Amino acid sequence: MTKTLGTLLVVSLLSIPSIAMADDKKEVPEYLQKKYDRRVEDMKKFDKNKDGVLQAEELRESVATKFDAADINKDGVISEQERAASLDKFKSETGGAYGEALSRSQTNRIKNRYNNADKNNDGKISQEEYQAYMEKHQTNFDRDGDGVISKKEYRLDGEKLPSSYVRKLKED
């Protein structure tokens, strides 16, 4: 009996890698694959040293670039009018590339990002507020905690975070 149980245990442990591999090779629906492909292309824009992963410095640069693009009058603050103009510009630039529904979804994500970054709720987002919010947001990309964001981690950004990450966010 003990020998049979031991054999069963060994066989089941040996099958775990094949189950995990089968899950990795699961066919991805076309709409989801397009989203993944778009995220990888977006990532390439920020990967300045072209090593296929994002480091903290590259992410800081991307945040500064995004803030500068939204701060139209260059006063160091994104006003409500500048937010609206930034969202309109994003919609017009991405409508054809992403498709109308996805463009609308992404626009809502950016709108929520602006709202969340405005910590003091004064209708203006300072560079410090935006930087602090985005750094916290981007640390969630690094799901394995190795200090760099891989293509797989970056492309999964839009997916639901594991509950352990959600708890960590609420604690901060």
Side-chain angles (χ1 to χ4, degrees), residues 33-62:
Q33 187 61 51
K34 285 182 180 180
K35 177 182 173 182
Y36 288 163
D37 294 345
R38 190 191 81 252
R39 290 290 295 165
V40 169
E41 287 304 310
D42 288 346
M43 181 183 172
K44 288 178 184 177
K45 296 175 196 172
F46 307 125
D47 185 14
K48 299 297 183 192
N49 64 5
K50 306 297 182 210
D51 64 352
V53 296
L54 295 177
Q55 289 81 20
E57 183 58 34
E58 291 171 319
L59 289 172
R60 276 192 290 280
E61 287 178 27
S62 77

Side-chain angles (χ1 to χ4, degrees), residues 88-101:
D88 287 343
K89 181 179 178 186
F90 180 82
K91 276 191 266 188
S92 69
E93 289 177 353
T94 60
Y98 290 180
E100 193 60 37

